[in-house]
Amino acid sequence: MNSRLLLAFLCIASLSTGCIIEDNGCDTCNPRHPGDVTFLWTFDGLRCDQARDVYGVNINIPGESLFNNGKYACSTADVDGITLHDFAPGSYSYNLQAVNFQNQIVFEASGTFVIDGNRTVRVDLAPTGDPTSYAYLNWNFPGGQSCFQAGVASVDIILDDLAPHNVPCTAGQSVPGLKTPALAPGEHYIEFIALDSQGRPLYYFNGGLLTRPYDPVDATYNLYTIGGASIAWRLSDGAVTFDCPASNPMVYVNFRDLNTGNWVYPLLGDGHRCSQKPIVYEFLRPGVYELRITTTFDGYEYRSNSNINVEVRPHVFPGPNSALDVTLFRRF
């Protein structure tokens, strides 16, 4: 007998218990399952007994008719949340509004959930009128190492233009993760520097963090192994080699990864005044790089030879006293 027809027959025979049939046109697929959704909520990190201006929570799930028009107490049976029953399999969106005794909205959140069996949705509602939200940060190290295995004691985090914030490494390898400060919705810059117990950098990452209004996000980053290089220079007109001139021109340093062909810095490269040498680089991926250094002085371009390579080794950081001294030759 066709399996779907048998399922339909069994449901008809037991209508008193309730039954949901999903026909997805596939006799061999694993069927998805109906279920309940349990919302567990907090209000900007506060429980119901702490958020004293919260009287109840209104729930709206488009396309669904909810008991009591979706109006629920903040706590039910000592649980800050509510369980809604008998949802068909599929994806749903929701909006939660916490109201005070005057029925004014004081906290709000929105999001989505998928039913394939019972589902729990944990929501931290944000104050209304303030669309800021936050993210839970987690980080990984190469090979799935723990903080202890990777030798990392703490992590410096730089978020947008905020000052660096140092946290224990384990804060980003826990559930739900490290909570950021409140952030405006949109794209943010984030940077991680993983340090050993002596404060030496071992792993690194920089990139983006996208936040949404009223909707905290989970963000996980894969930090990569780093090494360093130390670079200094002098100039030569072909006959005489000399140090930086009095005009102190800008000098641009760049590294081309010989494995990928990509330059580390865009355009000319990393710029510094000539007298600022040596420059110590700490956040390079291990590998071999072609080094390019350029400057312009007295109407002439000065450039390093094209055959200079720099090897960056894992967790090795040459200091100023061991800088590679490169001669920049005048181009006629």
Side-chain angles (χ1 to χ4, degrees), residues 159-177:
L159 189 56
D160 293 334
D161 56 356
L162 300 177
H165 182 55
N166 183 264
V167 299
C169 178
T170 53
Q173 291 197 332
S174 59
V175 177

Side-chain angles (χ1 to χ4, degrees), residues 235-257:
L235 286 70
S236 174
D237 61 7
V240 177
T241 299
F242 55 94
D243 207 343
C244 295
S247 61
N248 204 18
M250 292 293 293
V251 176
Y252 296 91
V253 181
N254 214 338
F255 303 86
R256 187 174 72 89
D257 189 329

Side-chain angles (χ1 to χ4, degrees), residues 105-178:
I105 301 170
V106 289
F107 295 91
E108 190 168 14
S110 60
T112 61
F113 63 91
V114 175
I115 290 293
D116 184 7
N118 294 337
R119 175 69 191 275
T120 297
V121 180
R122 299 179 184 274
V123 187
D124 188 40
L125 285 71
T128 55
D130 179 9
T132 60
S133 187
Y134 54 86
Y136 287 111
L137 305 177
N138 274 278
W139 44 76
N140 298 321
F141 300 110
Q145 299 176 92
S146 66
C147 293
F148 177 78
Q149 292 169 328
V152 177
S154 65
V155 176
D156 277 348
I157 302 173
I158 301 171
L159 189 56
D160 293 334
D161 56 356
L162 300 177
H165 182 55
N166 183 264
V167 299
C169 178
T170 53
Q173 291 197 332
S174 59
V175 177
L178 178 69

Side-chain angles (χ1 to χ4, degrees), residues 46 51 85 95 106 150-151 159 162 165 179 198 205 231 235 287 293:
L46 301 177
H85 299 283
N95 177 255
V106 289
L159 189 56
L162 300 177
H165 182 55
K179 183 179 177 181
Q198 304 301 312
F205 179 89
I231 307 296
L235 286 70
I293 309 176

Side-chain angles (χ1 to χ4, degrees), residues 7-8 10-12 14-22 34:
L7 176 62
L10 292 176
C11 285
I12 292 172
S14 58
L15 284 177
S16 61
T17 62
C19 184
I20 296 175
I21 303 171
E22 179 184 309

